[in-house]
Amino acid sequence: MNRRHSWLLVTALTLTGFSMRTAVTSVGAVLDDIQNDLNVSSGIAGLITTLPVVCFAGLGAVTPRLGRRIGAHRLLAVGLVVSTLGLALRPIGANVGWFALGSLLALSGGAVSNVLLPSLVKEHFPDRIGAMTALYTTALAVGTTAAAGLTVPIGHVTGGGWRAGLASWAVWTLLAVVPWLPTTRRDASAPPDPAAAIPLARLFRSRTAWALTVFFAMQSWQAYISFGWFARFLDDHGISSGTAGAMLAVLAGTAIPVSLVAPRVAPERLRFVIGALGSCYLVAYVGMSVAPVGGAWVWMALVGVGSGMFPIALTLIGLRSRTAATTAALSAFAQAIGYVVAGCGPVLFGALFGATGSWALPMAVLFAALAITLVAAWPSTADRYVDDELAPSSA
């Protein structure tokens, strides 16, 4: 790969990573305004917040097949264009149906990117999987934080309110399309080999694929609960909503430097790193249980550090596969199942709190999720490949 092509891909990964979650976190920042303007009930608002899970799981599952049919680079570019249209169009509607449809379009780029970026990193940077994963996951963390914190100010500055704030993020997905366009020629010159395709059903008999799926699902489970319920947890313990929001910003911000460093660690040391990140989670959960107010800033920062397991999970998808085709299939398998499981986390957490009126059982769910995450991390970091487990001799 020449230097110009390499820098083009680095730019593409960075811009795509930045835009992968802006369609999600920008909505949370203005959800109350959306409810008021569109006359949306709390129940429907709750359904809107579950659209990312549905889209990431559903579209993610069919992404490898679509990628083989039209080419991975072309599919990613198309997904980003569709996402741009969704981001630009969903705020202009006057009813929740239009907003929901626009949201599905807006989320398509993130859903496709979730699955394709690990395989494209494997294809273009097979010897720099950790570094390139760190690049786009750090950009993802920055974009996630920016969309949550800047959507409201952008709406105020432009005078367009929440509609302008949401639409502004279409600029970034449109920019992300540009560096991918020259790479689409690769799909025409080197079409995928149908014989190399791996149906997702085959991965059901891979121990490593299942271990990585559980690891991905349970670390995402904890992340979804933290962003969905920790503000309520802090508010319930007497912390003002403004301060709670600032604490969640610290949580998200702390994840940025961790995302930059964690995936770069040598593969043989990943177990140690995951153990260290798990210890941060454990200290935070214990602290939230016994001293939720006194050390709240510290607990939120530690949860942010612990969330560094997410970029490690994406790195492992590339490390546990020998080819880009296997990486794409493993990525779709782990994320399609993982996001569905993770989406159940906030529901169970909230149901237990509603049923008991106490935070004891919900916190127990977090402790259990952490334990399962650490157990699944052991086989996920073993030096073996999904390809070998799918070979006829291993069957």
Side-chain angles (χ1 to χ4, degrees):
M1 187 189 309
N2 61 47
R3 181 171 296 183
R4 177 177 174 274
H5 186 57
S6 178
W7 276 109
L8 187 70
L9 287 168
V10 166
T11 303
L13 288 172
T14 303
L15 290 173
T16 304
F18 182 89
S19 64
M20 282 173 68
R21 294 293 182 272
T22 54
V24 180
T25 55
S26 58
V27 171
V30 293
L31 188 57
D32 287 344
D33 294 329
I34 294 172
Q35 284 186 255
N36 293 332
D37 272 15
L38 302 182
N39 296 316
V40 177
S41 67
S42 297
I44 297 298
L47 290 177
I48 290 174
T49 61
T50 64
L51 287 177
V53 175
V54 174
C55 193
F56 291 167
L59 187 53
V62 301
T63 292
R65 181 179 299 178
L66 293 174
R68 291 193 300 270
R69 181 167 298 179
I70 69 173
H73 304 83
R74 289 173 176 170
L75 178 59
L76 185 53
V78 169
L80 290 170
V81 169
V82 173
S83 184
T84 300
L85 292 174
L87 284 166
L89 294 177
R90 72 173 174 178
I92 67 176
N95 59 73
V96 69
W98 176 276
F99 187 86
L101 177 60
S103 293
L104 289 174
L105 296 177
L107 292 164
S108 61
V112 170
S113 301
N114 285 340
V115 174
L116 290 183
L117 288 192
S119 64
L120 291 174
V121 166
K122 181 76 172 181
E123 178 180 344
H124 293 286
F125 303 97
D127 300 322
R128 301 177 63 192
I129 292 174
M132 292 300 104
T133 303
L135 175 72
Y136 82 78
T137 55
T138 301
L140 186 154
V142 172
T144 299
T145 305
L150 298 179
T151 299
V152 173
I154 289 173
H156 289 162
V157 169
T158 60
W162 66 269
R163 297 178 188 273
L166 288 184
S168 66
W169 300 105
V171 174
W172 291 97
T173 52
L174 184 60
L175 287 175
V177 175
V178 177
W180 287 114
L181 294 178
T183 71
T184 59
R185 294 194 296 267
R186 182 183 179 93
D187 295 330
S189 61
D193 180 8
I198 299 178
L200 296 190
R202 287 185 62 193
L203 294 175
F204 278 89
R205 60 186 179 88
S206 168
R207 293 176 300 163
T208 300
W210 275 113
L212 190 50
T213 298
V214 173
F215 177 67
F216 182 88
M218 299 317 293
Q219 62 82 27
S220 296
W221 175 292
Q222 296 172 83
Y224 276 38
I225 289 175
S226 66
F227 282 107
W229 280 97
F230 279 10
R232 172 67 184 277
F233 174 90
L234 296 169
D235 181 71
D236 217 42
H237 286 88
I239 296 174
S240 69
S241 59
T243 303
M247 289 179 177
L248 287 182
V250 168
L251 187 159
T254 307
I256 295 174
V258 181
S259 297
L260 185 61
V261 174
R264 295 172 179 266
V265 175
E268 61 270 17
R269 297 182 180 178
L270 284 177
R271 282 180 177 169
F272 172 79
V273 174
I274 291 172
L277 297 177
S279 298
C280 292
Y281 266 138
L282 180 61
V283 172
Y285 296 162
V286 171
M288 291 171 66
S289 300
V290 301
V293 179
W297 288 99
V298 176
W299 314 146
M300 293 301 105
L302 287 174
V303 170
V305 174
S307 66
M309 289 187 187
F310 172 68
I312 290 179
L314 295 178
T315 302
L316 286 171
I317 290 174
L319 293 176
R320 298 283 75 83
S321 49
R322 293 188 182 275
T323 67
T326 307
T327 304
L330 180 58
S331 180
F333 183 82
Q335 296 192 58
I337 298 174
Y339 279 120
V340 171
V341 174
C344 298
V347 176
L348 177 60
F349 193 87
L352 290 174
F353 175 69
T356 63
S358 166
W359 293 103
L361 273 181
M363 290 303 300
V365 167
L366 286 175
F367 282 108
L370 175 59
I372 296 171
T373 303
L374 295 176
V375 170
W378 189 266
S380 297
T381 51
D383 186 17
R384 60 190 181 210
Y385 297 91
V386 170
D387 312 64
D388 301 337
E389 295 174 349
L390 300 180
S393 59
S394 66

